[in-house]
Amino acid sequence: MDHSLPKYQLLEDEIEQGIVAGRWKCGERLPSIRTLCDLHGCAKITIQHALQRLEAKGLIESRERAGFFVTYEKEEFDTPCRMERIESPKPVSVSELFRDIMTRSAAFDLTPSLHSGDMPQGIVQLNRSIGRALRRQKGDFQYYDEPAGDPDLRHQLATLFSKRGWTTDASELCITSGCQQSLFLALLAVCSEGDIVAVESPGFYGVLQLLEQLKLKVIEVPTSLQTGMDVNAFSDILNHWNVRACVVQPAFATPGGAVMPKAARTRLIELAEEHDLAIIEDDIYAETGWSGVPDTLKSLDQSGRVIHCSSLSKVLSRDLRLGWVSGGRWHADILQMKLTSQLASSRFVQQGVASFIQEGDYAAFLRKFRLRLREQRDQLLDHLAVWPLAVRTTAPQGGLAVWVELPEAINTIDIYSKALDEGIVITPGSLFSGSERFGHCLRISFAHPWDAQRTKALKRILELIQNP
């Protein structure tokens, strides 16, 4: 140990070594600040500084009125999910299971048919802002909005991005009807039929649906549930195949909430330059982070190779259908495609959302929303911690779900069918790959409160797993 280091750094190193060595397990509470002061003979501010640095590394997290808890998971979730070999690119075929889940509006709820849900106060305020914008329309409702979208909304979004390291302006943004449309336009702009697109594995199943529709080929890149896409494996792929585009979620990726470290993001941009490909950034979960919101991947882009896609659906309303895309060197093509496929977006909805952001209501909503998400994640992890199975879960710092790995003998597709008979809709792990992998895994969302019905559904899922 280097005793020339500041005391807070010595303490930081000691606690980190204890966490990595397993002295404190994932989910376990660290000693209180007062206890650490007594043990190490340090001032309170020294302890707090060390803990804050550990939290910034993602090793621990602070829970209000409860202390600091370990989030570091030592087991295999720290490495990319196992793949026997990298498979060759292939056409995509999306399962009927995906269509069934989406038809039931159940991607993020175990019991969608039983809940109308209370409307959060922030959404009430949003509706008021949209209502005011509608009343101000007067004769404007006879005219289309400009194809790129409302300038005020694009300006407000650019202001939000400036806080995440990306200096942009309204001219670089185009409003869409959601992140899925943004991804669709991005893929349409950079790819032709038969081109190869790299995706995360496990990764967002909605991308697979788009690739199938556009008749593109997919190649899956091993992905860590903590640190995202394995850029070294991706580099090897690029040396063997001519990949045209890569779709990636750098911030709180589904299904496990992974966050790509800056070094990996930088290397991803370098690979795009070396191999002349487009990086399509799906940034839809970024604003959910309660321990901090990472900078955009777009903030590292110096040559327009990153196409940024996102929306407000994951933090505000699924029905809002308001997203955006910043197309970099392909932006003019994307604008033209938006014009021919959609023409324009709803003007008064955009103006209402712009006002919601400008007046500070969005920031106030996010603060409460993130606290609620964190509480619901903790409750879910508490439920899963008592399952009498060899279960491993992620403990994300954002996003809407945890990834649950069950014993390999369990087939979650079978569980899906049985649960559905009882009005319970689960999300099997095989959806998150085009290669029929992860059949023993589940994605379980904490997007909704754990009321009596959802808690009962979660217990019933355990019973179905134990007695297939």
Side-chain angles (χ1 to χ4, degrees), residues 304-323:
R305 288 197 176 275
V306 175
I307 302 178
H308 177 97
C309 303
S310 192
S311 86
L312 297 172
S313 66
K314 294 299 184 285
V315 293
L316 288 177
S317 170
R318 307 292 191 274
D319 288 334
L320 196 58
R321 306 318 308 152
L322 192 64

Side-chain angles (χ1 to χ4, degrees), residues 315-336:
V315 293
L316 288 177
S317 170
R318 307 292 191 274
D319 288 334
L320 196 58
R321 306 318 308 152
L322 192 64
W324 56 87
V325 57
S326 179
R329 61 178 63 187
W330 299 276
H331 196 65
D333 293 338
I334 288 173
L335 277 175
Q336 180 62 31

Side-chain angles (χ1 to χ4, degrees), residues 26-42:
C26 183
E28 186 175 344
R29 183 179 182 273
L30 289 177
S32 68
I33 291 177
R34 177 179 294 180
T35 300
L36 290 172
C37 287
D38 293 340
L39 286 173
H40 297 277
C42 295

Side-chain angles (χ1 to χ4, degrees), residues 182-391:
S182 298
L183 294 170
F184 179 80
L185 292 172
L187 288 166
L188 199 60
V190 301
C191 297
S192 300
E193 183 176 334
D195 280 350
I196 301 171
V197 178
V199 302
E200 297 164 300
S201 184
F204 175 43
Y205 47 70
V207 170
L208 298 176
Q209 181 191 34
L210 293 176
L211 299 183
E212 179 184 40
Q213 184 176 351
L214 294 171
K215 298 181 180 179
L216 300 170
K217 294 180 180 179
V218 64
I219 189 163
E220 299 187 17
V221 185
T223 299
S224 162
L225 292 159
Q226 268 73 44
T227 58
M229 179 176 285
D230 182 349
V231 291
N232 291 326
F234 185 43
S235 178
D236 291 341
I237 286 171
L238 293 174
N239 289 330
H240 288 85
W241 289 287
N242 182 24
V243 176
R244 187 69 194 96
C246 172
V247 183
V248 63
Q249 288 185 331
F252 310 118
T254 193
V259 177
M260 287 186 73
K262 185 175 181 180
R265 296 173 182 228
T266 301
R267 180 58 180 148
L268 184 60
I269 300 291
E270 291 172 351
L271 290 172
E273 292 288 351
E274 291 171 17
H275 295 272
D276 189 25
L277 63 115
I279 302 295
I280 301 175
E281 176 187 18
D282 180 353
D283 195 47
I284 196 168
Y285 293 103
E287 293 279 26
T288 62
W290 52 81
S291 295
V293 178
D295 286 349
T296 62
L297 185 62
K298 186 70 175 172
S299 66
L300 300 175
D301 181 24
Q302 300 297 316
S303 60
R305 288 197 176 275
V306 175
I307 302 178
H308 177 97
C309 303
S310 192
S311 86
L312 297 172
S313 66
K314 294 299 184 285
V315 293
L316 288 177
S317 170
R318 307 292 191 274
D319 288 334
L320 196 58
R321 306 318 308 152
L322 192 64
W324 56 87
V325 57
S326 179
R329 61 178 63 187
W330 299 276
H331 196 65
D333 293 338
I334 288 173
L335 277 175
Q336 180 62 31
M337 291 173 185
K338 158 77 184 294
L339 175 63
T340 57
S341 63
Q342 186 187 347
L343 188 60
S345 303
S346 171
R347 178 179 293 179
F348 72 86
V349 171
Q350 294 179 75
Q351 291 174 346
V353 172
S355 175
F356 184 70
I357 297 172
Q358 185 175 15
E359 296 299 321
D361 295 317
Y362 179 59
F365 170 81
L366 277 181
R367 286 192 292 271
K368 294 179 181 179
F369 173 74
R370 290 165 177 163
L371 289 174
R372 187 168 69 250
L373 272 187
R374 181 172 176 172
E375 180 181 357
Q376 289 164 190
R377 184 215 61 170
D378 290 346
Q379 291 169 347
L380 174 56
L381 292 178
D382 287 344
H383 286 308
L384 296 174
V386 298
W387 278 20
L389 295 168
V391 173

